[in-house]
Amino acid sequence: MLIAAAVCPHPPLLVPEVAQGAAAELDGVRKLCGAALSTVAESGADLVAVVGAGERERTHGPDAGGDLAPFGAALRVGPGPAELPLALTVGRWLAERSGLRPDRYLEVPADADPGRCAGIGAELAAEVPRLALVVMGDGSARRPPASPGRPDDRAPAFDTGVAAALDRADTGALAALDPARADELMAAGRPAWQVLAGAAAGAGLSGELLAHEAPYGVGYFVARWS
């Protein structure tokens, strides 16, 4: 059963070595990610898994590593081979920064359908009596007026809906997110949020939204469920 979860964004700029002179701009988000992760660290879970989007469905072990060199920093994260996608690399960096040592890293295909995402979550929740998740995912990268993708007027409403679902621990709302709409709006967190929804179904958890920001035209959410 899922007993706790932390939801965090995964921009490489969260890592100061990548952000360099702009590192202070995300100090607040880093601090709130630490607060969310403390919920997981203090949960007494039998299994802690980090979930994030990648190229294919696969599970990485506790020593799996990632590399931030493609984002301008000669920084390796984790002791093992650099096999983690960005979402899990940043997730590992945040976890280690908070003194958390996850047991596994779960890569979910960016195009995974909602049913499969829910199934992955349900399988995780059934595996151990006490499961905790670190869920990595950005909102829309098309937030007006300026964003990495072409601004889309639908993006703020989409992200507001996600923020409300995270605040209420509304598994139904997360499960109902349209993959096509999320893809159009460049919302990379959709698969991971739907894994969370599948894992939390029936668990009766409460949510708390700690942050909903879009400092660079990308939606960032920080939340904790317990």
Side-chain angles (χ1 to χ4, degrees), residues 34-82:
L37 285 161
S38 70
T39 299
V40 170
E42 296 166 4
S43 67
D46 303 309
L47 173 68
V48 176
V50 182
V51 182
E55 294 182 356
R56 53 182 172 153
E57 183 178 330
R58 56 178 174 171
T59 299
H60 304 269
D63 292 331
D67 192 353
L68 290 167
F71 304 96
L75 179 65
R76 290 285 297 273
V77 180

Short mmCIF file of all heavy atoms in Angstrom, two decimals, residues 34-82:
data_model
loop_
_atom_site.label_atom_id
_atom_site.label_comp_id
_atom_site.label_asym_id
_atom_site.label_seq_id
_atom_site.Cartn_x
_atom_site.Cartn_y
_atom_site.Cartn_z
N GLY A 34 12.85 19.52 -0.73
CA GLY A 34 13.39 18.88 0.46
C GLY A 34 12.31 18.62 1.50
O GLY A 34 12.30 17.56 2.14
N ALA A 35 11.38 19.56 1.65
CA ALA A 35 10.27 19.37 2.59
C ALA A 35 9.38 18.21 2.16
O ALA A 35 8.94 17.40 2.99
CB ALA A 35 9.47 20.66 2.71
N ALA A 36 9.10 18.13 0.86
CA ALA A 36 8.28 17.02 0.37
C ALA A 36 8.99 15.69 0.55
O ALA A 36 8.39 14.69 0.98
CB ALA A 36 7.95 17.24 -1.11
N LEU A 37 10.28 15.65 0.27
CA LEU A 37 11.04 14.42 0.41
C LEU A 37 11.17 13.98 1.86
O LEU A 37 11.31 12.79 2.15
CB LEU A 37 12.42 14.59 -0.22
CG LEU A 37 12.42 14.55 -1.75
CD1 LEU A 37 13.69 15.16 -2.31
CD2 LEU A 37 12.27 13.14 -2.25
N SER A 38 11.11 14.94 2.79
CA SER A 38 11.18 14.55 4.20
C SER A 38 9.97 13.71 4.59
O SER A 38 10.07 12.85 5.47
CB SER A 38 11.26 15.80 5.09
OG SER A 38 10.05 16.53 5.09
N THR A 39 8.84 13.93 3.94
CA THR A 39 7.66 13.11 4.19
C THR A 39 7.93 11.66 3.83
O THR A 39 7.52 10.73 4.55
CB THR A 39 6.46 13.64 3.39
OG1 THR A 39 6.19 14.99 3.80
CG2 THR A 39 5.22 12.79 3.61
N VAL A 40 8.62 11.45 2.72
CA VAL A 40 8.99 10.10 2.30
C VAL A 40 10.03 9.51 3.25
O VAL A 40 9.92 8.36 3.70
CB VAL A 40 9.51 10.10 0.86
CG1 VAL A 40 10.13 8.77 0.48
CG2 VAL A 40 8.38 10.45 -0.11
N ALA A 41 11.04 10.32 3.59
CA ALA A 41 12.12 9.83 4.43
C ALA A 41 11.62 9.41 5.82
O ALA A 41 12.16 8.47 6.42
CB ALA A 41 13.20 10.90 4.57
N GLU A 42 10.59 10.09 6.30
CA GLU A 42 10.09 9.83 7.65
C GLU A 42 8.93 8.85 7.67
O GLU A 42 8.36 8.58 8.74
CB GLU A 42 9.65 11.15 8.29
CG GLU A 42 10.80 12.14 8.48
CD GLU A 42 10.32 13.55 8.78
OE1 GLU A 42 9.08 13.74 8.92
OE2 GLU A 42 11.18 14.46 8.86
N SER A 43 8.59 8.28 6.53
CA SER A 43 7.38 7.45 6.43
C SER A 43 7.56 6.03 6.96
O SER A 43 6.57 5.35 7.24
CB SER A 43 6.92 7.37 4.97
OG SER A 43 7.86 6.65 4.18
N GLY A 44 8.79 5.57 7.07
CA GLY A 44 9.01 4.19 7.48
C GLY A 44 8.62 3.18 6.42
O GLY A 44 8.23 2.06 6.73
N ALA A 45 8.76 3.58 5.16
CA ALA A 45 8.35 2.70 4.05
C ALA A 45 9.27 1.49 3.94
O ALA A 45 10.47 1.56 4.25
CB ALA A 45 8.36 3.48 2.75
N ASP A 46 8.70 0.39 3.48
CA ASP A 46 9.49 -0.81 3.19
C ASP A 46 10.23 -0.68 1.86
O ASP A 46 11.25 -1.34 1.65
CB ASP A 46 8.57 -2.03 3.11
CG ASP A 46 7.76 -2.24 4.37
OD1 ASP A 46 8.36 -2.25 5.46
OD2 ASP A 46 6.52 -2.37 4.26
N LEU A 47 9.70 0.14 0.98
CA LEU A 47 10.28 0.33 -0.35
C LEU A 47 10.08 1.78 -0.77
O LEU A 47 8.96 2.30 -0.67
CB LEU A 47 9.62 -0.60 -1.37
CG LEU A 47 10.00 -0.43 -2.84
CD1 LEU A 47 11.45 -0.84 -3.07
CD2 LEU A 47 9.07 -1.23 -3.75
N VAL A 48 11.14 2.42 -1.22
CA VAL A 48 11.07 3.77 -1.78
C VAL A 48 11.48 3.70 -3.24
O VAL A 48 12.58 3.23 -3.56
CB VAL A 48 11.98 4.75 -1.01
CG1 VAL A 48 11.95 6.13 -1.68
CG2 VAL A 48 11.56 4.87 0.44
N ALA A 49 10.62 4.15 -4.12
CA ALA A 49 10.90 4.14 -5.55
C ALA A 49 10.75 5.55 -6.12
O ALA A 49 9.85 6.29 -5.74
CB ALA A 49 9.95 3.20 -6.28
N VAL A 50 11.67 5.90 -7.01
CA VAL A 50 11.59 7.17 -7.74
C VAL A 50 11.01 6.85 -9.11
O VAL A 50 11.46 5.92 -9.79
CB VAL A 50 12.98 7.81 -7.89
CG1 VAL A 50 12.87 9.16 -8.60
CG2 VAL A 50 13.64 7.99 -6.52
N VAL A 51 10.00 7.62 -9.52
CA VAL A 51 9.30 7.38 -10.78
C VAL A 51 9.45 8.59 -11.69
O VAL A 51 9.27 9.74 -11.25
CB VAL A 51 7.80 7.12 -10.53
CG1 VAL A 51 7.07 6.83 -11.84
CG2 VAL A 51 7.61 5.97 -9.55
N GLY A 52 9.78 8.36 -12.96
CA GLY A 52 9.89 9.46 -13.90
C GLY A 52 9.83 8.95 -15.33
O GLY A 52 10.05 7.77 -15.60
N ALA A 53 9.54 9.85 -16.24
CA ALA A 53 9.40 9.49 -17.65
C ALA A 53 10.76 9.28 -18.30
O ALA A 53 11.77 9.91 -17.94
CB ALA A 53 8.63 10.57 -18.39
N GLY A 54 10.77 8.37 -19.27
CA GLY A 54 11.97 8.10 -20.05
C GLY A 54 11.60 7.50 -21.39
O GLY A 54 10.51 7.75 -21.90
N GLU A 55 12.49 6.71 -21.94
CA GLU A 55 12.26 6.16 -23.28
C GLU A 55 11.49 4.85 -23.26
O GLU A 55 10.77 4.53 -24.20
CB GLU A 55 13.60 5.94 -23.98
CG GLU A 55 14.35 7.23 -24.28
CD GLU A 55 15.64 6.97 -25.02
OE1 GLU A 55 15.98 5.78 -25.24
OE2 GLU A 55 16.31 7.95 -25.40
N ARG A 56 11.65 4.06 -22.21
CA ARG A 56 11.00 2.75 -22.18
C ARG A 56 10.72 2.35 -20.75
O ARG A 56 11.21 2.98 -19.80
CB ARG A 56 11.88 1.70 -22.84
CG ARG A 56 13.29 1.62 -22.29
CD ARG A 56 14.12 0.61 -23.02
NE ARG A 56 15.53 0.65 -22.64
CZ ARG A 56 16.34 -0.39 -22.71
NH1 ARG A 56 15.88 -1.56 -23.13
NH2 ARG A 56 17.60 -0.28 -22.35
N GLU A 57 9.93 1.30 -20.59
CA GLU A 57 9.60 0.82 -19.25
C GLU A 57 10.71 -0.09 -18.75
O GLU A 57 10.98 -1.14 -19.33
CB GLU A 57 8.27 0.06 -19.27
CG GLU A 57 7.83 -0.39 -17.89
CD GLU A 57 6.50 -1.09 -17.90
OE1 GLU A 57 5.66 -0.78 -18.78
OE2 GLU A 57 6.28 -1.96 -17.03
N ARG A 58 11.35 0.33 -17.69
CA ARG A 58 12.37 -0.50 -17.08
C ARG A 58 12.65 -0.03 -15.66
O ARG A 58 12.40 1.13 -15.30
CB ARG A 58 13.66 -0.52 -17.89
CG ARG A 58 14.28 0.84 -18.16
CD ARG A 58 15.58 0.69 -18.94
NE ARG A 58 16.12 1.98 -19.34
CZ ARG A 58 17.34 2.14 -19.87
NH1 ARG A 58 18.12 1.09 -20.07
NH2 ARG A 58 17.77 3.33 -20.21
N THR A 59 13.17 -0.95 -14.87
CA THR A 59 13.50 -0.67 -13.47
C THR A 59 15.01 -0.64 -13.32
O THR A 59 15.71 -1.54 -13.78
CB THR A 59 12.90 -1.74 -12.56
OG1 THR A 59 11.48 -1.74 -12.69
CG2 THR A 59 13.26 -1.47 -11.10
N HIS A 60 15.50 0.41 -12.65
CA HIS A 60 16.92 0.56 -12.38
C HIS A 60 17.16 0.31 -10.90
O HIS A 60 16.34 0.68 -10.04
CB HIS A 60 17.38 1.97 -12.74
CG HIS A 60 17.10 2.38 -14.15
ND1 HIS A 60 17.99 2.18 -15.18
CD2 HIS A 60 16.01 2.97 -14.70
CE1 HIS A 60 17.47 2.65 -16.32
NE2 HIS A 60 16.26 3.13 -16.04
N GLY A 61 18.29 -0.28 -10.59
CA GLY A 61 18.62 -0.59 -9.21
C GLY A 61 19.07 0.62 -8.40
O GLY A 61 19.21 1.73 -8.93
N PRO A 62 19.34 0.41 -7.12
CA PRO A 62 19.66 1.53 -6.24
C PRO A 62 20.97 2.24 -6.56
O PRO A 62 21.18 3.38 -6.14
CB PRO A 62 19.72 0.88 -4.85
CG PRO A 62 19.98 -0.57 -5.11
CD PRO A 62 19.28 -0.88 -6.40
N ASP A 63 21.87 1.59 -7.32
CA ASP A 63 23.15 2.21 -7.65
C ASP A 63 23.15 2.86 -9.03
O ASP A 63 24.19 3.38 -9.47
CB ASP A 63 24.28 1.18 -7.58
CG ASP A 63 24.54 0.71 -6.15
OD1 ASP A 63 24.30 1.50 -5.22
OD2 ASP A 63 24.97 -0.45 -5.98
N ALA A 64 22.05 2.83 -9.73
CA ALA A 64 22.00 3.40 -11.08
C ALA A 64 22.37 4.88 -11.05
O ALA A 64 22.01 5.61 -10.12
CB ALA A 64 20.62 3.21 -11.68
N GLY A 65 23.08 5.31 -12.07
CA GLY A 65 23.54 6.69 -12.13
C GLY A 65 22.96 7.47 -13.29
O GLY A 65 22.30 6.91 -14.17
N GLY A 66 23.22 8.75 -13.27
CA GLY A 66 22.82 9.63 -14.35
C GLY A 66 23.93 10.63 -14.63
O GLY A 66 24.85 10.79 -13.83
N ASP A 67 23.83 11.31 -15.74
CA ASP A 67 24.88 12.24 -16.17
C ASP A 67 24.24 13.55 -16.60
O ASP A 67 23.33 13.57 -17.44
CB ASP A 67 25.65 11.62 -17.34
CG ASP A 67 26.93 12.36 -17.67
OD1 ASP A 67 27.16 13.45 -17.09
OD2 ASP A 67 27.70 11.88 -18.51
N LEU A 68 24.74 14.65 -16.04
CA LEU A 68 24.20 15.96 -16.39
C LEU A 68 25.10 16.70 -17.39
O LEU A 68 24.86 17.87 -17.66
CB LEU A 68 24.02 16.80 -15.12
CG LEU A 68 22.88 16.31 -14.22
CD1 LEU A 68 22.94 16.96 -12.85
CD2 LEU A 68 21.52 16.57 -14.87
N ALA A 69 26.06 16.01 -17.96
CA ALA A 69 26.92 16.64 -18.95
C ALA A 69 26.14 17.20 -20.14
O ALA A 69 26.49 18.26 -20.65
CB ALA A 69 27.99 15.65 -19.42
N PRO A 70 25.07 16.52 -20.62
CA PRO A 70 24.32 17.09 -21.74
C PRO A 70 23.69 18.44 -21.43
O PRO A 70 23.25 19.14 -22.35
CB PRO A 70 23.25 16.03 -22.02
CG PRO A 70 23.83 14.75 -21.50
CD PRO A 70 24.59 15.16 -20.29
N PHE A 71 23.64 18.79 -20.14
CA PHE A 71 23.01 20.05 -19.75
C PHE A 71 24.03 21.06 -19.26
O PHE A 71 23.69 22.04 -18.60
CB PHE A 71 21.95 19.77 -18.68
CG PHE A 71 20.92 18.77 -19.13
CD1 PHE A 71 21.06 17.43 -18.81
CD2 PHE A 71 19.86 19.17 -19.93
CE1 PHE A 71 20.13 16.50 -19.26
CE2 PHE A 71 18.94 18.25 -20.38
CZ PHE A 71 19.07 16.91 -20.05
N GLY A 72 25.29 20.80 -19.59
CA GLY A 72 26.32 21.80 -19.35
C GLY A 72 27.10 21.67 -18.08
O GLY A 72 27.89 22.57 -17.75
N ALA A 73 26.92 20.58 -17.34
CA ALA A 73 27.67 20.41 -16.08
C ALA A 73 28.36 19.06 -16.10
O ALA A 73 27.73 18.02 -16.34
CB ALA A 73 26.74 20.51 -14.88
N ALA A 74 29.65 19.05 -15.83
CA ALA A 74 30.40 17.80 -15.77
C ALA A 74 30.12 17.15 -14.41
O ALA A 74 30.96 17.13 -13.51
CB ALA A 74 31.88 18.07 -15.95
N LEU A 75 28.92 16.62 -14.27
CA LEU A 75 28.48 16.09 -12.99
C LEU A 75 27.79 14.75 -13.19
O LEU A 75 26.80 14.65 -13.91
CB LEU A 75 27.51 17.07 -12.31
CG LEU A 75 26.93 16.64 -10.96
CD1 LEU A 75 28.04 16.55 -9.92
CD2 LEU A 75 25.86 17.63 -10.50
N ARG A 76 28.32 13.72 -12.54
CA ARG A 76 27.68 12.42 -12.51
C ARG A 76 26.91 12.29 -11.20
O ARG A 76 27.36 12.72 -10.16
CB ARG A 76 28.73 11.31 -12.61
CG ARG A 76 29.40 11.21 -13.95
CD ARG A 76 28.49 10.57 -14.99
NE ARG A 76 28.16 9.20 -14.64
CZ ARG A 76 28.89 8.15 -14.96
NH1 ARG A 76 30.03 8.30 -15.64
NH2 ARG A 76 28.51 6.93 -14.62
N VAL A 77 25.76 11.67 -11.29
CA VAL A 77 24.90 11.47 -10.13
C VAL A 77 24.77 9.97 -9.89
O VAL A 77 24.35 9.24 -10.80
CB VAL A 77 23.51 12.09 -10.34
CG1 VAL A 77 22.62 11.87 -9.12
CG2 VAL A 77 23.64 13.58 -10.62
N GLY A 78 25.12 9.50 -8.71
CA GLY A 78 25.04 8.08 -8.41
C GLY A 78 26.31 7.34 -8.79
O GLY A 78 27.06 7.78 -9.67
N PRO A 79 26.56 6.20 -8.15
CA PRO A 79 27.82 5.48 -8.37
C PRO A 79 27.87 4.60 -9.61
O PRO A 79 28.93 4.25 -10.09
CB PRO A 79 27.94 4.61 -7.11
CG PRO A 79 26.52 4.33 -6.72
CD PRO A 79 25.75 5.59 -7.07
N GLY A 80 26.71 4.22 -10.13
CA GLY A 80 26.67 3.25 -11.21
C GLY A 80 26.75 3.88 -12.59
O GLY A 80 26.93 5.09 -12.74
N PRO A 81 26.60 3.05 -13.63
CA PRO A 81 26.61 3.55 -15.02
C PRO A 81 25.55 4.62 -15.23
O PRO A 81 24.48 4.59 -14.61
CB PRO A 81 26.30 2.29 -15.84
CG PRO A 81 26.65 1.15 -14.96
CD PRO A 81 26.38 1.60 -13.56
N ALA A 82 25.84 5.56 -16.12
CA ALA A 82 24.91 6.67 -16.40
C ALA A 82 23.80 6.18 -17.31
O ALA A 82 23.87 6.33 -18.53
CB ALA A 82 25.65 7.84 -17.02
#
